[in-house]
Amino acid sequence: MSSFPDTVRHLLEEHDKNGDGELDVVEIIHGFEALARERRVKTFLKWLSVGMLVFSVLLLVSVGVLMAYLIDASKETSVDGSSMVVKGSTDVVRTASSEFTVKDGA
């Protein structure tokens, strides 16, 4: 392993379990198994991230829909054609004059 550059030698020394300076077949197999495990973990984390993103989007959409429903449900009136009616009935909303007079500037 001494003929390899330092960056590669460091990686190879991690897999040299018996410390003899050479990689035997078992150590190479263990290295490939570790690589396969890392790839599985990477794939799992990628799908987990996608799943969390989809869940977050669905959660935000559901909160928006729920807010729209609650806002509509809290209204006391609705428009029926060209008339404003009391919600849940056909009674037209009645209004009264709000005129008043002010005496002596007060």
Side-chain angles (χ1 to χ4, degrees), residues 52-92:
M52 290 174 58
L53 177 67
V54 168
F55 176 75
S56 299
V57 168
L58 289 175
L59 188 62
L60 287 172
V61 168
S62 64
V63 166
V65 168
L66 183 61
M67 283 181 56
Y69 171 75
L70 289 174
I71 289 170
D72 187 56
S74 67
K75 293 180 181 177
E76 296 178 356
T77 60
S78 63
V79 177
D80 184 22
S82 62
S83 302
M84 184 180 286
V85 295
V86 176
K87 193 167 194 168
S89 72
T90 57
D91 298 336
V92 176

Side-chain angles (χ1 to χ4, degrees), residues 1 11-24 26-28 30-31 34 37:
M1 281 195 274
L11 295 172
L12 293 174
E13 287 173 353
E14 288 180 15
H15 295 291
D16 185 18
K17 300 299 181 192
N18 58 9
D20 63 354
E22 296 179 0
L23 292 178
D24 59 12
V26 174
E27 292 170 337
I28 292 173
H30 284 284
R37 267 193 312 274

Side-chain angles (χ1 to χ4, degrees), residues 31-63:
F32 280 115
E33 289 172 346
L35 178 63
R37 267 193 312 274
E38 290 297 321
R39 285 183 177 168
R40 284 193 301 270
V41 167
K42 181 181 175 184
T43 302
F44 171 74
L45 291 176
K46 180 175 68 172
W47 284 109
L48 182 65
S49 298
V50 169
M52 290 174 58
L53 177 67
V54 168
F55 176 75
S56 299
V57 168
L58 289 175
L59 188 62
L60 287 172
V61 168
S62 64
V63 166

